[in-house]
Amino acid sequence: MSKPSVLVNLYATILDPRFFMTFLNFYRENQNNIELCFQWRIMIHDAQRKGADAAVEHEYEYLLNLEDDTTMIPEGTLQRLIDHDKDVVAPWVVSRHPPHEPTARKLVEGRLTTPGSLSCGLRPGNGVMECDLIGMQFTLIKTSALKKLSKPWFFYGECGCTDQYFSQKCIDEGVKKYCDTDLCIEHDGVGVQHYNAMKQMQKTDGVRWN
């Protein structure tokens, strides 16, 4: 059997039954193509660094960052992201906190790591779109892209969260990031209903956001 091409970096602080069932279904579907790096109750940037280091060291083709509050992953999601053949790509995800803004965003002004920088969220139903900020909820990264970036790849501190730090590093060092706005996963039970409502609003208003 050939070596699995994807290292799934799962970092967890709780074991939510919703996530457990979601991950079990995901594993059953993809078990021949993935191996698991399980990180339990450590700082998120340390977990992300360890997973990335392991993916590069052991020569996986991809690193998949997966957070433990992912509560719905549509069948075929991983293969669909692989088929996009992008350095960094993720499905459409929203913040679990109101007003549930998309985590993939375009930078309008400033730097992602600068407090007060301005950004606007992508909108659903626009295909695969390039973005400046991308979350790490369910994010596929080529290890060849990681090798293009200087270390540390992930950091948490005054520069903002690890999502902002990694995304700004990609901007500075020439790695592009993409969001599949036609593919939605659930973040702590939030996502699909909001996604469908935004798509309906777009259809009703005749607006296609860029």
Side-chain angles (χ1 to χ4, degrees):
M1 181 181 294
S2 61
K3 175 184 175 67
S5 63
V6 181
L7 181 64
V8 178
N9 187 34
L10 167 59
Y11 27 98
T13 56
I14 59 173
L15 289 179
D16 186 325
R18 297 172 303 168
F19 171 75
F20 180 78
M21 293 307 300
T22 296
F23 179 75
L24 183 60
N25 290 332
F26 170 77
Y27 181 81
R28 286 171 173 164
E29 178 191 356
N30 298 283
Q31 59 185 307
N32 293 330
N33 197 36
I34 64 173
E35 286 188 355
L36 180 63
C37 179
F38 182 66
Q39 318 265 8
W40 175 246
R41 288 188 174 176
I42 64 174
M43 293 295 291
I44 189 169
H45 60 280
D46 288 331
Q48 290 170 335
R49 287 179 190 172
K50 289 182 178 181
D53 285 340
V56 171
E57 178 183 353
H58 297 289
E59 300 182 337
Y60 290 90
E61 189 174 356
Y62 297 96
L63 168 71
L64 176 68
N65 277 322
L66 174 61
E67 297 184 356
D68 68 347
D69 54 359
T70 305
T71 49
M72 190 279 291
I73 305 169
E75 184 176 349
T77 292
L78 178 58
Q79 188 58 52
R80 177 169 172 149
L81 295 182
I82 291 173
D83 290 344
H84 290 323
D85 193 27
K86 303 296 187 184
D87 281 345
V88 183
V89 64
W92 198 82
V93 185
V94 297
S95 169
R96 62 182 176 178
H97 303 294
H100 308 304
E101 285 290 322
T103 58
R105 306 182 73 83
K106 295 288 288 185
L107 186 62
V108 177
E109 181 179 310
R111 291 171 60 83
L112 294 170
T113 51
T114 302
S117 63
L118 299 178
S119 62
C120 62
L122 303 185
R123 292 297 182 263
N126 286 322
V128 179
M129 297 185 66
E130 187 175 352
C131 56
D132 296 311
L133 174 64
I134 198 164
M136 291 291 117
Q137 190 74 30
F138 188 99
T139 304
L140 189 69
I141 306 171
K142 286 185 178 181
T143 53
S144 59
L146 287 173
K147 293 175 183 178
K148 298 175 187 176
L149 300 173
S150 59
K151 288 188 173 184
W153 294 317
F154 300 97
F155 185 77
Y156 186 90
E158 294 181 358
C159 65
C161 68
T162 58
D163 300 352
Q164 293 168 311
Y165 181 85
F166 176 78
S167 295
Q168 186 63 55
K169 181 176 284 288
C170 288
I171 292 172
D172 293 342
E173 301 182 17
V175 171
K176 293 184 176 182
K177 306 168 298 296
Y178 294 85
C179 175
D180 184 340
T181 67
D182 294 326
L183 178 64
C184 176
I185 67 170
E186 290 268 342
H187 182 189
D188 198 19
V190 178
V192 172
Q193 183 176 0
H194 184 266
Y195 175 88
N196 289 336
M198 291 186 73
K199 284 189 72 174
Q200 183 60 38
M201 183 189 306
Q202 178 172 266
K203 181 178 179 180
T204 301
D205 294 347
V207 175
R208 187 173 177 87
W209 285 282
N210 295 315

